[in-house]
């Protein structure tokens, strides 16, 4: 992906455009047998997840992490695709984005990357749970461990950031400050639970100073959902010394972040997670269940329903933030 | 302090050379009354602590932090002294190091910086608890929250690092890897509980790669007790992805640390604390109690007993790491 900053959101778009694809079929009998062990059958409704859950490695067996040693991210994270693609075209290898490659009518994935979901779940909606919603929501609930009555700041109001706002609200945050340079997103953020809105373009001083003043010392939790190193630094500095927790949710491989030791020594914690800290299969299954029980908003994320052949048009809409 | 890297250890030395000074006297009646509220009387044995504990601010009232809004570090951390010194010489202000200035026979400090200790406690020993021992020990126990059966790495084996080794051991760590470029310190580290010793000078590859290989993926917890940004980065990279926790214990104002977002997104946590996360007064009182009950090593830190007039000689010994 040349324009790296778009990769995370592109992933969401990919899944959301893939409304017909998430039904399972098997190419080989041995695959069937292996999958059968986990109660998957041909025709089951599934959601493909870029992170695997093999249930057998020491990471999968630990409640402390959602990492899996069989994840392609274990081998390589310097590009957004594993190098062992299952596809080629005219003899040339085609990489599968995030190990899935869901911008296709059919794809081939490992069973450890498939979450079986409720047979009544609407695929054209719950597909969003397979990346952006879990990533944002889980970053608030699982990684930051947002506390009841706390004050939070969410930087960036794409699908991931909106889901983070929803996670903060679910965790009982009293005040949720939504930060974005596009004020058109504030209306949507309000639906998910944001209470305050800050556009960095409206202020001449650094945005973390604005937040520290607004909150009399800094927020308890901040979540960076952009994938920009300087925003990650702002998000850290927006938290209150003493107990502030800042979570890096956005992804970038082209930048590094920098801070002074005293920024952490004064009591702050800087952390991050893939996929919002959710175990890949368990998390998706649980979140789909919550949606079916009307305890989780999903429909509210959807602005367009487009066919796969309109994919380039969809990407352009996303780049222009038309929603 | 010109040679910044020495400030933290100098602080310990200052206190340890101050064996006669830690008895309380009051200059003014109003001071007495205020102190009286906290059961301090003239003649009490006390340990001065650079961090305050006023017991009244929202930080002091929270169990989540040991910060205090009345601490001088709240106002300024860009120099190692508060600017409102109580001393002058020939009309020129003399700064009090860490707000205490204990390289004197007499000093003037705020009551919120004094921890009252057991009347039988030997001042020439327990004075060490007032800085280095709490900082290192607490960083393992309170900040990293080292877990039973875990693997830890401690970078730097000065007083703070040795206390961190002792903290890891007290928390039940199974394996404690002590890292220092001076192998003479390994014998001492062993006394405090270190099980493995690594001298970065013995290896051509980066030290974090050595540790990751030694531990089949990285340590669970790492503690940087040097005050060097590149060592802080090594300490982070030495931890296992998925759940590694790295704590910045050493202090530097002249350097910044840098890392890639993926270093945290892969599941690591980077944090820090002042004074090992101990509430200033409560922590010192508790640690002195543990020493009196023979549950905490203190005598083992002492290599020399020197008079205050030998202070420059003591500083030279420290610089040469003669112990």
């Amino acid at each position: 992906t040349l324009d790296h900053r778009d990769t995370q959101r592109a992933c969401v778009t990919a899944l959301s455009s893939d409304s017909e694809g998430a039904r399972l079929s098997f190419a080989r009998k041995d695959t069937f047998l292996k999958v059968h062990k986990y109660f998957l059958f041909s025709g089951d409704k599934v959601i493909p997840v870029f992170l695997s859950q093999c249930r057998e490695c020491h990471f999968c067996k630990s409640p402390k992490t959602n990492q899996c040693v069989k994840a392609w991210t274990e081998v390589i994270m310097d590009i957004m695709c594993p190098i062992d693609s299952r596809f080629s075209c005219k003899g040339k290898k085609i990489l599968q984005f995030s190990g899935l490659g869901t911008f296709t009518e059919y794809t081939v994935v490992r069973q450890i990357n498939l979450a079986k979901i409720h047979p009544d779940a609407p695929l054209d909606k719950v597909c969003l749970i397979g990346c952006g919603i879990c990533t944002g929501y889980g970053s608030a609930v699982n990684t930051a461990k947002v506390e009841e009555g706390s004050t939070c700041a969410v930087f960036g109001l794409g699908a991931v950031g909106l889901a983070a706002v929803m996670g903060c609200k679910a965790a009982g945050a009293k005040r949720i400050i939504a930060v974005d340079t596009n004020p058109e997103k504030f209306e949507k953020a309000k639906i998910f639970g944001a209470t305050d809105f800050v556009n960095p373009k409206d202020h001449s001083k650094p945005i973390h100073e604005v937040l520290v003043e607004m909150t009399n010392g800094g927020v308890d939790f901040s979540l960076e959902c952009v994938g920009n190193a300087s925003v990650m630094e702002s998000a850290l500095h927006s938290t209150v010394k003493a107990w502030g927790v800042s979570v890096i949710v956005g992804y970038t491989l082209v930048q590094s972040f920098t801070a002074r030791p005293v920024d952490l020594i004064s009591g702050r914690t800087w952390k991050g997670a893939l996929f919002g800290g959710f175990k890949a299969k368990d998390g998706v299954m649980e979140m789909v269940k919550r949606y079916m029980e009307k305890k989780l908003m999903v429909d509210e994320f959807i602005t367009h329903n487009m066919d796969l052949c309109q994919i380039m048009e969809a990407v352009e809409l996303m780049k222009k933030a038309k929603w």
Side-chain angles (χ1 to χ4, degrees), chain A:
Chain A
T1 311
L2 288 176
D3 185 356
H4 171 71
R5 283 170 301 170
D6 288 322
T7 52
Q8 191 159 53
R9 282 176 292 182
C11 172
V12 176
T13 309
L15 290 163
S16 66
S17 70
D18 189 10
S19 63
E20 299 299 316
R23 280 191 185 269
L24 193 65
S25 65
F26 301 108
R28 298 189 316 209
K29 201 184 169 194
D30 61 335
T31 309
F32 172 78
L33 289 172
K34 192 162 185 199
V35 174
H36 180 65
K37 188 175 161 192
Y38 298 105
F39 311 103
L40 280 175
F41 297 92
S42 191
D44 275 351
K45 283 188 181 175
V46 292
I47 291 181
V49 193
F50 73 95
L51 191 63
S52 58
Q53 185 182 359
C54 75
R55 301 191 194 277
E56 288 169 353
C57 71
H58 68 293
F59 285 165
C60 279
K61 285 180 178 169
S62 167
K64 293 171 69 175
T65 186
N66 66 336
Q67 298 271 331
C68 170
V69 296
K70 292 185 185 157
W72 62 268
T73 50
E74 282 292 301
V75 184
I76 187 163
M77 280 191 82
D78 289 342
I79 55 171
M80 292 293 284
C81 309
I83 40 179
D84 60 331
S85 174
R86 302 159 193 101
F87 296 118
S88 63
C89 181
K90 296 177 186 171
K92 198 177 162 193
K93 190 191 284 185
I94 297 174
L95 294 176
Q96 288 179 269
F97 178 69
S98 290
L100 303 173
T102 51
F103 279 127
T104 55
E105 287 179 273
Y106 298 93
T107 188
V108 182
V109 300
R110 300 181 298 174
Q111 58 86 11
I112 56 174
N113 288 83
L114 286 178
K116 180 179 173 177
I117 58 169
H118 195 286
D120 296 338
L123 288 176
D124 61 342
K125 307 277 195 306
V126 297
C127 54
L128 285 173
I129 290 173
C131 185
I133 293 181
C134 277
T135 299
Y137 188 95
S139 295
V141 173
N142 303 324
T143 312
K145 297 189 197 303
V146 168
E147 295 170 2
E148 200 168 332
S150 63
T151 296
C152 302
V154 175
F155 290 75
L157 299 173
V160 174
L162 292 172
V165 168
M166 180 164 61
C168 292
K169 168 118 174 148
K174 181 181 63 183
R175 192 175 179 193
I176 303 166
I177 305 169
V179 184
D180 202 296
T181 52
N182 180 355
E184 284 179 35
K185 303 202 175 175
F186 293 159
E187 198 182 335
K188 199 73 148 183
K190 198 171 180 178
I191 294 169
F192 289 103
T195 58
D196 297 63
F197 307 94
V198 177
N199 182 349
K201 288 182 179 169
D202 293 342
H203 301 272
S204 55
K205 64 176 76 170
I207 194 64
H208 71 269
E209 289 183 18
V210 175
L211 291 180
V212 166
E213 277 175 24
M214 280 174 72
T215 54
N216 195 25
V219 300
D220 301 305
F221 301 94
S222 71
L223 298 113
E224 198 277 350
C225 304
V226 177
N228 177 293
S230 73
V231 180
M232 293 170 189
E233 293 162 9
S234 291
L236 180 77
H237 295 133
S238 299
T239 61
V240 64
K241 65 168 79 178
W243 58 65
V245 174
S246 189
V247 177
I248 296 176
V249 187
Y251 193 92
T252 175
L253 287 167
V254 292
Q255 299 173 330
S256 293
F257 60 76
T258 296
R260 298 183 310 159
V262 74
D263 295 329
L264 298 186
I265 289 173
S266 54
R268 294 188 186 88
T269 297
W270 216 350
K271 57 198 305 189
L274 275 174
F275 202 56
F278 279 115
K279 298 268 189 192
K281 294 180 176 201
D282 297 346
V284 168
M285 287 188 276
E286 172 62 25
M287 291 286 275
V288 169
K289 189 166 165 280
R290 280 188 218 174
Y291 169 70
M292 301 296 284
E293 293 167 351
K294 300 193 188 308
K295 292 175 183 165
L296 185 81
M297 285 189 272
V298 172
D299 300 5
E300 291 77 358
F301 285 93
I302 299 169
T303 56
H304 299 75
N305 281 288
M306 302 170 82
D307 287 336
L308 191 54
C309 61
Q310 294 173 287
I311 184 166
M312 294 318 293
E313 198 182 324
V315 170
E316 285 309 311
L317 282 171
M318 182 189 70
K319 282 186 177 174
K320 289 174 190 158
K322 284 290 169 203
W323 59 347

